[in-house]
Amino acid sequence: MHKFDVVIIGAGSAGLSALREVKKHTDNFILINEGPWGTTCARVGCMPSKLLIEAANAFYRRVSFNEFGITGADQLGVDHKRVLQRVRRLRDDFVTSTLGATRELGERAISGRAHILSPHQVMVNGEKFHTRKIIIATGSRPVVPEPWQSLGKRLLTTDTLFEQEALPERIAVIGMGPVGLEMAQALSRLGVRVTGFGSGRMIGGITDPLINQAAVTLLSKEFSLHLGTRADITVNADSDVITVNSGDIRIEVDSVLAALGRRPNIDDINLEALGVPLDERGLPPVNPDTLQIADLPVFLAGDVNQRSPVLHEAADDGHIAGLNATREKLVCFKRRVPLTIVFSDPNIAVVGKSFRSLEHEDIRAGEVDFSRQGRARSAQSNRGVLRVYAAANSGRLLGAEMCAPAGEHFAHLLALAIDQSLSVWDLLRLPFYHPVLEEGLRTALRNLASKLPACSESDLAVCGPFNAEALD
């Protein structure tokens, strides 16, 4: 029987991050991966979706040409085949870069489905492997209701969308979370007739009703959006036409994009053999700060643990699991400030504590509407709203939600401020150049400061009497 220090199951973002740490401490490991090698982000997630979004946004700029005094916009066209060829070409480059981490592993990289026999034993391809520690990083896959499978190739997910040679004329995007919103807007901007459906009223991970209303209003101007009722699919046996029904809405489409979220890849890996209770999703209890499953020498990292399905969190998970799998005493890690970004236009972002999570805390909120913001108006991007939340007694920044131009950059700036426990006044003391979009954030901060106990009559720090140390 083979004996190893660590067995890593899964070669996605979390698995590769774990691998980097494990390799620093031991050469006695194996990495098991089922299916294509290369991360979900590079193959079917973050990167190909952003490539499609960039093409869509580039073509959409023609809509504002007339306002800028540029003529000829109606002469422009888009070649969907070439758009998708570029997506795949650059996507393949990104995938190749991720494969470099496993290319030199040789026999220590095994293709196949792992089957857990105990907390110290794994089987793959009929071979048993004994190990001191196990890291499970098997990732996730799109949720697709079983009845929808009858659509065959006309049912798309992010696993298959980017492999298409052409785009359909009409498509229903079902699920208005981050992925659904991004793809619905991008496809619409590329000339596809898009209808979006969401069973809930909130979209894109937003929890603040004001921000949600702004996002719904703006996106509804670009594609038909129906919220609050579950969508069902039927196929006419005679005409083979796909019909989507949602409440009183009934439309016919050529394809359906399922964007209903992702489920953990735990099928048949036999988590039951760990001997701990599993929840309704089939997942064991996991400490989010150590990634340890119960008190076992087993760690659950990345999308599979369903904690926060974004790349930097998956990479952090792998890092933590890799470190803890190679030492006797576990290390407990403080996690980063929560941060999620939807690459719609305007960007949607939630940073720090969400509005919903703060509903029982004493907070104040400041906001800015970008419709009159100078730099945004100059770029014809003056759309959206940003709200910032702070503790009512101290003014310490707690979180923010936004549907705003350049929201991805605002979100990072605010994440840094929240991580450093800055107050509203601390952030207002920083320079805001003119004219920049960040002046919109300053407007929101000043609005928030006006609702807090008075601290100073100026944004500036106060100097000594003569502003000279030798004379103070």
Side-chain angles (χ1 to χ4, degrees), residues 179-434:
V179 173
L181 281 187
E182 288 180 352
M183 293 300 93
Q185 186 180 47
L187 292 170
S188 176
R189 290 186 168 193
L190 287 169
V192 178
R193 194 188 313 165
V194 173
T195 307
F197 295 91
S199 58
R201 293 288 181 185
M202 310 296 273
I203 64 174
I206 301 168
T207 73
D208 187 318
L210 183 66
I211 303 301
N212 189 70
Q213 185 55 56
V216 169
T217 299
L218 291 171
L219 289 166
S220 294
K221 294 177 180 178
E222 296 193 39
F223 59 90
S224 182
L225 186 56
H226 305 285
L227 302 172
T229 307
R230 179 179 172 178
D232 293 310
I233 299 172
T234 58
V235 180
N236 187 299
D238 297 324
S239 64
D240 208 31
V241 171
I242 301 172
T243 302
V244 182
N245 302 282
S246 179
D248 297 330
I249 306 300
R250 176 186 172 89
I251 64 163
E252 294 181 353
V253 296
D254 304 308
S255 297
V256 172
L257 176 64
L260 302 172
R262 300 180 69 86
R263 61 162 49 98
N265 289 327
I266 55 175
D267 309 61
D268 301 327
I269 67 170
N270 197 32
L271 289 175
E272 293 83 359
L274 297 177
V276 296
L278 304 180
D279 64 18
E280 66 279 359
R281 300 168 298 174
L283 295 173
V286 180
N287 183 324
D289 302 321
T290 65
L291 278 305
Q292 183 183 27
I293 294 177
D295 59 352
L296 302 175
V298 185
F299 303 86
L300 195 69
D303 287 2
V304 67
N305 68 28
Q306 299 283 278
R307 191 184 66 84
S308 184
V310 292
L311 183 136
H312 71 273
E313 293 285 3
D316 284 351
D317 275 10
H319 174 76
I320 293 169
L323 283 172
N324 281 330
T326 52
R327 57 182 65 200
E328 295 305 320
K329 187 174 181 181
L330 296 182
V331 179
C332 183
F333 290 88
K334 178 184 176 183
R335 304 310 296 258
R336 301 182 200 270
V337 172
L339 174 62
T340 58
I341 298 172
V342 181
F343 292 88
S344 56
D345 177 23
N347 294 156
I348 291 169
V350 179
V351 55
K353 292 186 175 182
S354 68
F355 181 81
R356 180 183 297 150
S357 70
L358 291 167
E359 63 181 347
H360 299 302
E361 297 189 31
D362 189 11
I363 66 165
R364 299 293 181 270
E367 65 192 57
V368 58
D369 185 324
F370 279 88
S371 61
R372 300 294 299 171
Q373 206 275 332
R375 182 61 186 276
R377 290 178 68 191
S378 72
Q380 288 295 115
S381 62
N382 51 319
R383 306 182 304 279
V385 179
L386 178 152
R387 296 191 86 197
V388 188
Y389 320 121
N393 58 347
S394 65
R396 182 170 64 87
L397 292 165
L398 300 175
E401 295 195 24
M402 66 198 76
C403 173
E408 59 183 291
H409 303 298
F410 289 130
H412 280 87
L413 175 60
L414 287 164
L416 175 63
I418 293 168
D419 181 73
Q420 297 300 306
S421 299
L422 299 185
S423 70
V424 175
W425 302 286
D426 291 329
L427 203 49
L428 280 171
R429 277 195 284 270
L430 299 178
F432 287 83
Y433 206 79
H434 177 76

Side-chain angles (χ1 to χ4, degrees), residues 63-271:
V63 174
S64 61
F65 280 2
N66 188 60
E67 180 68 23
F68 285 106
I70 303 171
T71 60
D74 57 343
Q75 302 301 310
L76 295 176
V78 60
D79 186 331
H80 291 165
K81 183 175 181 179
R82 291 181 60 191
V83 167
L84 291 164
Q85 286 173 342
R86 176 181 182 269
V87 168
R88 289 191 291 272
R89 184 177 71 252
L90 293 182
R91 181 275 311 275
D92 291 345
D93 284 345
F94 295 131
V95 171
T96 298
S97 69
T98 67
L99 294 176
T102 58
R103 191 174 292 118
E104 299 177 357
L105 293 181
E107 294 182 351
R108 291 180 296 178
I110 302 173
S111 293
R113 176 174 292 189
H115 190 74
I116 297 169
L117 302 177
S118 77
H120 291 286
Q121 207 171 28
V122 174
M123 183 168 67
V124 61
N125 301 331
E127 267 192 286
K128 293 181 181 179
F129 300 92
H130 191 273
T131 180
R132 295 179 62 248
K133 306 284 180 67
I134 299 173
I135 297 173
I136 303 170
T138 47
S140 62
R141 66 185 185 279
V143 172
V144 179
E146 185 61 34
W148 294 12
Q149 300 286 358
S150 63
L151 296 180
K153 293 183 179 180
R154 293 183 295 171
L155 173 65
L156 302 174
T157 69
T158 50
D159 283 357
T160 57
L161 173 63
F162 310 114
E163 305 305 321
Q164 304 304 301
E165 290 298 320
L167 294 174
E169 291 186 11
R170 305 169 299 174
I171 192 169
V173 179
I174 303 181
M176 287 291 104
V179 173
L181 281 187
E182 288 180 352
M183 293 300 93
Q185 186 180 47
L187 292 170
S188 176
R189 290 186 168 193
L190 287 169
V192 178
R193 194 188 313 165
V194 173
T195 307
F197 295 91
S199 58
R201 293 288 181 185
M202 310 296 273
I203 64 174
I206 301 168
T207 73
D208 187 318
L210 183 66
I211 303 301
N212 189 70
Q213 185 55 56
V216 169
T217 299
L218 291 171
L219 289 166
S220 294
K221 294 177 180 178
E222 296 193 39
F223 59 90
S224 182
L225 186 56
H226 305 285
L227 302 172
T229 307
R230 179 179 172 178
D232 293 310
I233 299 172
T234 58
V235 180
N236 187 299
D238 297 324
S239 64
D240 208 31
V241 171
I242 301 172
T243 302
V244 182
N245 302 282
S246 179
D248 297 330
I249 306 300
R250 176 186 172 89
I251 64 163
E252 294 181 353
V253 296
D254 304 308
S255 297
V256 172
L257 176 64
L260 302 172
R262 300 180 69 86
R263 61 162 49 98
N265 289 327
I266 55 175
D267 309 61
D268 301 327
I269 67 170
N270 197 32
L271 289 175

